[in-house]
PDB file of all heavy atoms in Angstrom:
ATOM      1  N   LEU A 971       0.836  -1.198   0.000  1.00 85.00           N
ATOM      2  CA  LEU A 971       0.000   0.000   0.000  1.00 85.00           C
ATOM      3  C   LEU A 971       0.872   1.249   0.000  1.00 85.00           C
ATOM      4  O   LEU A 971       1.988   1.240   0.520  1.00 85.00           O
ATOM      5  CB  LEU A 971      -0.916   0.010   1.232  1.00 85.00           C
ATOM      6  CG  LEU A 971      -1.896  -1.155   1.396  1.00 85.00           C
ATOM      7  CD1 LEU A 971      -2.791  -0.916   2.598  1.00 85.00           C
ATOM      8  CD2 LEU A 971      -2.727  -1.371   0.146  1.00 85.00           C
ATOM      9  N   ASP A 972       0.322   2.340  -0.571  1.00 85.00           N
ATOM     10  CA  ASP A 972       1.074   3.592  -0.486  1.00 85.00           C
ATOM     11  C   ASP A 972       0.929   4.178   0.919  1.00 85.00           C
ATOM     12  O   ASP A 972       0.088   3.738   1.716  1.00 85.00           O
ATOM     13  CB  ASP A 972       0.615   4.581  -1.565  1.00 85.00           C
ATOM     14  CG  ASP A 972      -0.856   4.965  -1.427  1.00 85.00           C
ATOM     15  OD1 ASP A 972      -1.292   5.353  -0.318  1.00 85.00           O
ATOM     16  OD2 ASP A 972      -1.587   4.885  -2.439  1.00 85.00           O
ATOM     17  N   GLN A 973       1.739   5.180   1.217  1.00 88.00           N
ATOM     18  CA  GLN A 973       1.790   5.731   2.572  1.00 88.00           C
ATOM     19  C   GLN A 973       0.427   6.243   3.038  1.00 88.00           C
ATOM     20  O   GLN A 973       0.009   5.980   4.166  1.00 88.00           O
ATOM     21  CB  GLN A 973       2.812   6.878   2.614  1.00 88.00           C
ATOM     22  CG  GLN A 973       4.254   6.457   2.449  1.00 88.00           C
ATOM     23  CD  GLN A 973       4.840   5.877   3.720  1.00 88.00           C
ATOM     24  OE1 GLN A 973       4.314   6.069   4.821  1.00 88.00           O
ATOM     25  NE2 GLN A 973       5.946   5.149   3.577  1.00 88.00           N
ATOM     26  N   HIS A 974      -0.268   6.977   2.166  1.00 90.00           N
ATOM     27  CA  HIS A 974      -1.546   7.569   2.557  1.00 90.00           C
ATOM     28  C   HIS A 974      -2.600   6.501   2.848  1.00 90.00           C
ATOM     29  O   HIS A 974      -3.291   6.545   3.867  1.00 90.00           O
ATOM     30  CB  HIS A 974      -2.042   8.508   1.452  1.00 90.00           C
ATOM     31  CG  HIS A 974      -3.374   9.130   1.755  1.00 90.00           C
ATOM     32  ND1 HIS A 974      -3.567  10.042   2.782  1.00 90.00           N
ATOM     33  CD2 HIS A 974      -4.590   8.962   1.161  1.00 90.00           C
ATOM     34  CE1 HIS A 974      -4.838  10.399   2.815  1.00 90.00           C
ATOM     35  NE2 HIS A 974      -5.479   9.764   1.833  1.00 90.00           N
ATOM     36  N   LEU A 975      -2.726   5.541   1.926  1.00 90.00           N
ATOM     37  CA  LEU A 975      -3.723   4.491   2.103  1.00 90.00           C
ATOM     38  C   LEU A 975      -3.378   3.617   3.305  1.00 90.00           C
ATOM     39  O   LEU A 975      -4.265   3.218   4.074  1.00 90.00           O
ATOM     40  CB  LEU A 975      -3.820   3.634   0.840  1.00 90.00           C
ATOM     41  CG  LEU A 975      -4.854   2.502   0.864  1.00 90.00           C
ATOM     42  CD1 LEU A 975      -6.247   3.028   1.170  1.00 90.00           C
ATOM     43  CD2 LEU A 975      -4.840   1.742  -0.457  1.00 90.00           C
ATOM     44  N   ALA A 976      -2.094   3.298   3.486  1.00 86.00           N
ATOM     45  CA  ALA A 976      -1.675   2.491   4.633  1.00 86.00           C
ATOM     46  C   ALA A 976      -2.029   3.182   5.942  1.00 86.00           C
ATOM     47  O   ALA A 976      -2.467   2.538   6.909  1.00 86.00           O
ATOM     48  CB  ALA A 976      -0.174   2.227   4.565  1.00 86.00           C
ATOM     49  N   HIS A 977      -1.857   4.512   5.978  1.00 89.00           N
ATOM     50  CA  HIS A 977      -2.206   5.268   7.188  1.00 89.00           C
ATOM     51  C   HIS A 977      -3.714   5.209   7.444  1.00 89.00           C
ATOM     52  O   HIS A 977      -4.150   5.032   8.591  1.00 89.00           O
ATOM     53  CB  HIS A 977      -1.755   6.723   7.040  1.00 89.00           C
ATOM     54  CG  HIS A 977      -2.027   7.553   8.250  1.00 89.00           C
ATOM     55  ND1 HIS A 977      -1.234   7.515   9.372  1.00 89.00           N
ATOM     56  CD2 HIS A 977      -3.035   8.429   8.527  1.00 89.00           C
ATOM     57  CE1 HIS A 977      -1.716   8.334  10.291  1.00 89.00           C
ATOM     58  NE2 HIS A 977      -2.818   8.903   9.797  1.00 89.00           N
ATOM     59  N   GLN A 978      -4.508   5.338   6.382  1.00 90.00           N
ATOM     60  CA  GLN A 978      -5.952   5.259   6.534  1.00 90.00           C
ATOM     61  C   GLN A 978      -6.392   3.893   7.049  1.00 90.00           C
ATOM     62  O   GLN A 978      -7.223   3.791   7.961  1.00 90.00           O
ATOM     63  CB  GLN A 978      -6.633   5.533   5.190  1.00 90.00           C
ATOM     64  CG  GLN A 978      -6.646   6.985   4.768  1.00 90.00           C
ATOM     65  CD  GLN A 978      -7.446   7.167   3.495  1.00 90.00           C
ATOM     66  OE1 GLN A 978      -7.252   6.443   2.514  1.00 90.00           O
ATOM     67  NE2 GLN A 978      -8.364   8.124   3.503  1.00 90.00           N
ATOM     68  N   VAL A 979      -5.855   2.858   6.449  1.00 86.00           N
ATOM     69  CA  VAL A 979      -6.216   1.492   6.843  1.00 86.00           C
ATOM     70  C   VAL A 979      -5.835   1.238   8.303  1.00 86.00           C
ATOM     71  O   VAL A 979      -6.634   0.729   9.096  1.00 86.00           O
ATOM     72  CB  VAL A 979      -5.537   0.458   5.919  1.00 86.00           C
ATOM     73  CG1 VAL A 979      -5.740  -0.956   6.459  1.00 86.00           C
ATOM     74  CG2 VAL A 979      -6.086   0.566   4.507  1.00 86.00           C
ATOM     75  N   ALA A 980      -4.610   1.585   8.653  1.00 88.00           N
ATOM     76  CA  ALA A 980      -4.151   1.364  10.023  1.00 88.00           C
ATOM     77  C   ALA A 980      -4.997   2.148  11.021  1.00 88.00           C
ATOM     78  O   ALA A 980      -5.369   1.633  12.081  1.00 88.00           O
ATOM     79  CB  ALA A 980      -2.684   1.755  10.148  1.00 88.00           C
ATOM     80  N   THR A 981      -5.345   3.405  10.682  1.00 89.00           N
ATOM     81  CA  THR A 981      -6.145   4.241  11.575  1.00 89.00           C
ATOM     82  C   THR A 981      -7.526   3.651  11.788  1.00 89.00           C
ATOM     83  O   THR A 981      -8.018   3.554  12.922  1.00 89.00           O
ATOM     84  CB  THR A 981      -6.272   5.662  11.002  1.00 89.00           C
ATOM     85  OG1 THR A 981      -4.967   6.230  10.864  1.00 89.00           O
ATOM     86  CG2 THR A 981      -7.100   6.547  11.932  1.00 89.00           C
ATOM     87  N   GLN A 982      -8.162   3.210  10.704  1.00 88.00           N
ATOM     88  CA  GLN A 982      -9.519   2.673  10.820  1.00 88.00           C
ATOM     89  C   GLN A 982      -9.537   1.332  11.548  1.00 88.00           C
ATOM     90  O   GLN A 982     -10.433   1.068  12.367  1.00 88.00           O
ATOM     91  CB  GLN A 982     -10.131   2.535   9.430  1.00 88.00           C
ATOM     92  CG  GLN A 982     -10.425   3.876   8.770  1.00 88.00           C
ATOM     93  CD  GLN A 982     -11.103   3.726   7.418  1.00 88.00           C
ATOM     94  OE1 GLN A 982     -11.842   2.769   7.187  1.00 88.00           O
ATOM     95  NE2 GLN A 982     -10.839   4.660   6.519  1.00 88.00           N
ATOM     96  N   LEU A 983      -8.548   0.476  11.263  1.00 84.00           N
ATOM     97  CA  LEU A 983      -8.515  -0.817  11.949  1.00 84.00           C
ATOM     98  C   LEU A 983      -8.239  -0.655  13.444  1.00 84.00           C
ATOM     99  O   LEU A 983      -8.836  -1.339  14.275  1.00 84.00           O
ATOM    100  CB  LEU A 983      -7.453  -1.715  11.313  1.00 84.00           C
ATOM    101  CG  LEU A 983      -7.783  -2.271   9.920  1.00 84.00           C
ATOM    102  CD1 LEU A 983      -6.615  -3.089   9.392  1.00 84.00           C
ATOM    103  CD2 LEU A 983      -9.048  -3.130   9.969  1.00 84.00           C
ATOM    104  N   MET A 984      -7.343   0.276  13.779  1.00 84.00           N
ATOM    105  CA  MET A 984      -7.042   0.489  15.195  1.00 84.00           C
ATOM    106  C   MET A 984      -8.209   1.144  15.919  1.00 84.00           C
ATOM    107  O   MET A 984      -8.416   0.916  17.115  1.00 84.00           O
ATOM    108  CB  MET A 984      -5.770   1.316  15.350  1.00 84.00           C
ATOM    109  CG  MET A 984      -4.509   0.537  15.041  1.00 84.00           C
ATOM    110  SD  MET A 984      -2.986   1.451  15.409  1.00 84.00           S
ATOM    111  CE  MET A 984      -3.107   1.611  17.197  1.00 84.00           C
ATOM    112  N   ALA A 985      -8.995   1.944  15.194  1.00 86.00           N
ATOM    113  CA  ALA A 985     -10.169   2.556  15.808  1.00 86.00           C
ATOM    114  C   ALA A 985     -11.216   1.501  16.174  1.00 86.00           C
ATOM    115  O   ALA A 985     -11.922   1.614  17.177  1.00 86.00           O
ATOM    116  CB  ALA A 985     -10.779   3.593  14.863  1.00 86.00           C
ATOM    117  N   LYS A 986     -11.293   0.469  15.367  1.00 85.00           N
ATOM    118  CA  LYS A 986     -12.271  -0.591  15.625  1.00 85.00           C
ATOM    119  C   LYS A 986     -11.761  -1.607  16.629  1.00 85.00           C
ATOM    120  O   LYS A 986     -12.454  -1.965  17.582  1.00 85.00           O
ATOM    121  CB  LYS A 986     -12.624  -1.304  14.312  1.00 85.00           C
ATOM    122  CG  LYS A 986     -13.650  -2.403  14.489  1.00 85.00           C
ATOM    123  CD  LYS A 986     -14.000  -3.063  13.173  1.00 85.00           C
ATOM    124  CE  LYS A 986     -15.052  -4.146  13.369  1.00 85.00           C
ATOM    125  NZ  LYS A 986     -15.393  -4.813  12.092  1.00 85.00           N
ATOM    126  N   ASP A 987     -10.526  -2.107  16.413  1.00 83.00           N
ATOM    127  CA  ASP A 987      -9.960  -3.132  17.298  1.00 83.00           C
ATOM    128  C   ASP A 987      -8.441  -3.099  17.164  1.00 83.00           C
ATOM    129  O   ASP A 987      -7.858  -3.847  16.375  1.00 83.00           O
ATOM    130  CB  ASP A 987     -10.502  -4.513  16.925  1.00 83.00           C
ATOM    131  CG  ASP A 987      -9.982  -5.622  17.836  1.00 83.00           C
ATOM    132  OD1 ASP A 987      -9.314  -5.301  18.841  1.00 83.00           O
ATOM    133  OD2 ASP A 987     -10.235  -6.815  17.537  1.00 83.00           O
ATOM    134  N   ALA A 988      -7.826  -2.238  17.938  1.00 84.00           N
ATOM    135  CA  ALA A 988      -6.381  -2.047  17.821  1.00 84.00           C
ATOM    136  C   ALA A 988      -5.610  -3.315  18.159  1.00 84.00           C
ATOM    137  O   ALA A 988      -4.684  -3.713  17.442  1.00 84.00           O
ATOM    138  CB  ALA A 988      -5.927  -0.903  18.728  1.00 84.00           C
ATOM    139  N   LEU A 989      -5.988  -3.968  19.246  1.00 82.00           N
ATOM    140  CA  LEU A 989      -5.275  -5.169  19.659  1.00 82.00           C
ATOM    141  C   LEU A 989      -5.453  -6.289  18.644  1.00 82.00           C
ATOM    142  O   LEU A 989      -4.507  -7.013  18.321  1.00 82.00           O
ATOM    143  CB  LEU A 989      -5.755  -5.623  21.044  1.00 82.00           C
ATOM    144  CG  LEU A 989      -5.039  -6.850  21.623  1.00 82.00           C
ATOM    145  CD1 LEU A 989      -3.542  -6.570  21.784  1.00 82.00           C
ATOM    146  CD2 LEU A 989      -5.657  -7.246  22.966  1.00 82.00           C
ATOM    147  N   GLY A 990      -6.671  -6.427  18.121  1.00 81.00           N
ATOM    148  CA  GLY A 990      -6.914  -7.453  17.112  1.00 81.00           C
ATOM    149  C   GLY A 990      -6.111  -7.227  15.854  1.00 81.00           C
ATOM    150  O   GLY A 990      -5.558  -8.162  15.266  1.00 81.00           O
ATOM    151  N   ALA A 991      -6.010  -5.961  15.428  1.00 82.00           N
ATOM    152  CA  ALA A 991      -5.249  -5.636  14.220  1.00 82.00           C
ATOM    153  C   ALA A 991      -3.772  -5.946  14.398  1.00 82.00           C
ATOM    154  O   ALA A 991      -3.136  -6.535  13.518  1.00 82.00           O
ATOM    155  CB  ALA A 991      -5.442  -4.158  13.868  1.00 82.00           C
ATOM    156  N   HIS A 992      -3.215  -5.589  15.552  1.00 83.00           N
ATOM    157  CA  HIS A 992      -1.797  -5.841  15.792  1.00 83.00           C
ATOM    158  C   HIS A 992      -1.526  -7.337  16.014  1.00 83.00           C
ATOM    159  O   HIS A 992      -0.495  -7.854  15.582  1.00 83.00           O
ATOM    160  CB  HIS A 992      -1.308  -5.021  16.988  1.00 83.00           C
ATOM    161  CG  HIS A 992      -0.989  -3.609  16.642  1.00 83.00           C
ATOM    162  ND1 HIS A 992       0.263  -3.199  16.242  1.00 83.00           N
ATOM    163  CD2 HIS A 992      -1.782  -2.506  16.603  1.00 83.00           C
ATOM    164  CE1 HIS A 992       0.240  -1.900  15.992  1.00 83.00           C
ATOM    165  NE2 HIS A 992      -0.997  -1.455  16.200  1.00 83.00           N
ATOM    166  N   SER A 993      -2.442  -8.022  16.691  1.00 81.00           N
ATOM    167  CA  SER A 993      -2.262  -9.460  16.906  1.00 81.00           C
ATOM    168  C   SER A 993      -2.236 -10.202  15.581  1.00 81.00           C
ATOM    169  O   SER A 993      -1.403 -11.078  15.361  1.00 81.00           O
ATOM    170  CB  SER A 993      -3.400 -10.009  17.785  1.00 81.00           C
ATOM    171  OG  SER A 993      -3.376  -9.428  19.060  1.00 81.00           O
ATOM    172  N   ARG A 994      -3.126  -9.807  14.701  1.00 80.00           N
ATOM    173  CA  ARG A 994      -3.239 -10.491  13.413  1.00 80.00           C
ATOM    174  C   ARG A 994      -2.109 -10.118  12.465  1.00 80.00           C
ATOM    175  O   ARG A 994      -1.467 -10.983  11.867  1.00 80.00           O
ATOM    176  CB  ARG A 994      -4.597 -10.152  12.785  1.00 80.00           C
ATOM    177  CG  ARG A 994      -4.837 -10.787  11.421  1.00 80.00           C
ATOM    178  CD  ARG A 994      -6.200 -10.373  10.872  1.00 80.00           C
ATOM    179  NE  ARG A 994      -6.315  -8.932  10.693  1.00 80.00           N
ATOM    180  CZ  ARG A 994      -7.039  -8.129  11.467  1.00 80.00           C
ATOM    181  NH1 ARG A 994      -7.710  -8.637  12.501  1.00 80.00           N
ATOM    182  NH2 ARG A 994      -7.087  -6.833  11.235  1.00 80.00           N
ATOM    183  N   ASP A 995      -1.855  -8.806  12.303  1.00 79.00           N
ATOM    184  CA  ASP A 995      -0.945  -8.362  11.255  1.00 79.00           C
ATOM    185  C   ASP A 995       0.498  -8.185  11.703  1.00 79.00           C
ATOM    186  O   ASP A 995       1.411  -8.238  10.876  1.00 79.00           O
ATOM    187  CB  ASP A 995      -1.459  -7.058  10.652  1.00 79.00           C
ATOM    188  CG  ASP A 995      -2.783  -7.249   9.922  1.00 79.00           C
ATOM    189  OD1 ASP A 995      -2.942  -8.309   9.297  1.00 79.00           O
ATOM    190  OD2 ASP A 995      -3.640  -6.353   9.984  1.00 79.00           O
ATOM    191  N   GLU A 996       0.716  -7.973  12.992  1.00 77.00           N
ATOM    192  CA  GLU A 996       2.084  -7.839  13.481  1.00 77.00           C
ATOM    193  C   GLU A 996       2.602  -9.156  14.058  1.00 77.00           C
ATOM    194  O   GLU A 996       3.734  -9.577  13.779  1.00 77.00           O
ATOM    195  CB  GLU A 996       2.166  -6.750  14.548  1.00 77.00           C
ATOM    196  CG  GLU A 996       3.573  -6.531  15.086  1.00 77.00           C
ATOM    197  CD  GLU A 996       3.632  -5.497  16.194  1.00 77.00           C
ATOM    198  OE1 GLU A 996       2.628  -4.775  16.417  1.00 77.00           O
ATOM    199  OE2 GLU A 996       4.685  -5.422  16.861  1.00 77.00           O
ATOM    200  N   LEU A 997       1.762  -9.820  14.858  1.00 76.00           N
ATOM    201  CA  LEU A 997       2.196 -11.051  15.524  1.00 76.00           C
ATOM    202  C   LEU A 997       1.844 -12.308  14.738  1.00 76.00           C
ATOM    203  O   LEU A 997       2.397 -13.373  15.001  1.00 76.00           O
ATOM    204  CB  LEU A 997       1.563 -11.138  16.922  1.00 76.00           C
ATOM    205  CG  LEU A 997       1.836  -9.958  17.859  1.00 76.00           C
ATOM    206  CD1 LEU A 997       1.102 -10.159  19.187  1.00 76.00           C
ATOM    207  CD2 LEU A 997       3.323  -9.799  18.095  1.00 76.00           C
ATOM    208  N   GLY A 998       0.903 -12.203  13.804  1.00 73.00           N
ATOM    209  CA  GLY A 998       0.494 -13.381  13.034  1.00 73.00           C
ATOM    210  C   GLY A 998      -0.399 -14.328  13.801  1.00 73.00           C
ATOM    211  O   GLY A 998      -0.475 -15.516  13.493  1.00 73.00           O
ATOM    212  N   ILE A 999      -1.099 -13.805  14.808  1.00 70.00           N
ATOM    213  CA  ILE A 999      -1.996 -14.630  15.623  1.00 70.00           C
ATOM    214  C   ILE A 999      -3.428 -14.307  15.236  1.00 70.00           C
ATOM    215  O   ILE A 999      -3.869 -13.161  15.330  1.00 70.00           O
ATOM    216  CB  ILE A 999      -1.798 -14.354  17.128  1.00 70.00           C
ATOM    217  CG1 ILE A 999      -0.363 -14.676  17.541  1.00 70.00           C
ATOM    218  CG2 ILE A 999      -2.783 -15.163  17.954  1.00 70.00           C
ATOM    219  CD1 ILE A 999      -0.034 -14.263  18.967  1.00 70.00           C
ATOM    220  N   SER A1000      -4.166 -15.321  14.788  1.00 65.00           N
ATOM    221  CA  SER A1000      -5.571 -15.138  14.441  1.00 65.00           C
ATOM    222  C   SER A1000      -6.409 -16.188  15.138  1.00 65.00           C
ATOM    223  O   SER A1000      -5.892 -17.184  15.645  1.00 65.00           O
ATOM    224  CB  SER A1000      -5.770 -15.237  12.931  1.00 65.00           C
ATOM    225  OG  SER A1000      -5.499 -16.548  12.479  1.00 65.00           O
ATOM    226  N   GLU A1001      -7.698 -15.972  15.140  1.00 58.00           N
ATOM    227  CA  GLU A1001      -8.602 -16.923  15.792  1.00 58.00           C
ATOM    228  C   GLU A1001      -8.544 -18.288  15.124  1.00 58.00           C
ATOM    229  O   GLU A1001      -8.631 -19.323  15.773  1.00 58.00           O
ATOM    230  CB  GLU A1001     -10.032 -16.384  15.751  1.00 58.00           C
ATOM    231  CG  GLU A1001     -11.037 -17.262  16.494  1.00 58.00           C
ATOM    232  CD  GLU A1001     -12.451 -16.692  16.454  1.00 58.00           C
ATOM    233  OE1 GLU A1001     -12.613 -15.545  15.989  1.00 58.00           O
ATOM    234  OE2 GLU A1001     -13.379 -17.402  16.879  1.00 58.00           O
TER     235      GLU A1001
END
């Protein structure tokens, strides 16, 4: 993703579920 879109995606995902977003995309842990 480009910088602007990546910032939008990260902001919206963290607004909804920050821990879930980081667990899934940073740590690779999913349900």
Side-chain angles (χ1 to χ4, degrees):
L971 300 185
D972 61 51
Q973 291 282 342
H974 178 67
L975 181 56
H977 182 79
Q978 285 185 311
V979 171
T981 300
Q982 291 183 30
L983 288 177
M984 286 187 65
K986 181 179 181 181
D987 182 7
L989 182 61
H992 279 269
S993 297
R994 179 181 61 253
D995 294 323
E996 181 183 348
L997 303 178
I999 300 173
S1000 66
E1001 184 179 352

